[in-house]
Amino acid sequence: MSKRNIVIEPDPILRKKSEPLEEVNNDLRKLMDEMLETMYEAPGIGLAAVQVGILKRLIVIDVSKDKEKKDPLFLINPEITFKSNKTSTYEEGCLSLPGHFAEVERPAECHLNFVDYNGNKKDIKANGLLATCIQHEIDHLDGILFIDHISKLKRDMIIKKLKKSKKELDKVIL
Ligand code: ZN
């Protein structure tokens, strides 16, 4: 299994809308396995396909705290069917915006339809960290980043810093 490279903001692909998947086959399962490995190694708790440069509606998530008991969730073509009025706030980060965090308020509970790793239709009710993670990752599929939920001032500041660190990174790769 090979690890994938994670796309870092600012990059135009992160602003594109991802397309639904037509079928679940072995190629797709290989991609899901590689995305999961990439996420664990990063480390992170969620990764959308667009973050490895693939514009498909596909997400991997694992919010389990225990490293010994992995509990991966594969979401293909996820669709939120309910969002609660009650909200919760988490300090969010993102593998595509390394080193940056901000408080984001989102619905505390959401219900979701999706297709799983084996191609079966599923639905789940999520709350707490999982609900926030699902909404963060589905945002990615629509070209939305967590910084779009905060003030423009703070957003611009983060993008400026990321641009600067990307340039510095280029300088050392000679
Ligand atoms: Zn993210």
Side-chain angles (χ1 to χ4, degrees), residues 46 51 93-97 136-137 140 145-146:
Q51 292 180 276
C94 178
L95 293 176
S96 294
L97 293 92
H136 174 121
E137 299 308 329
H140 274 302
L145 300 172
F146 80 85

Side-chain angles (χ1 to χ4, degrees), residues 9-10 15 97 100 145 147-148 154-164:
E9 168 78 354
R15 297 310 191 166
L97 293 92
H100 294 279
L145 300 172
I147 49 170
D148 299 338
K154 194 156 183 220
R155 177 165 65 245
D156 289 348
M157 201 179 71
I158 290 175
I159 291 173
K160 206 174 140 188
K161 282 186 183 161
L162 284 165
K163 257 188 202 162
K164 198 167 164 261

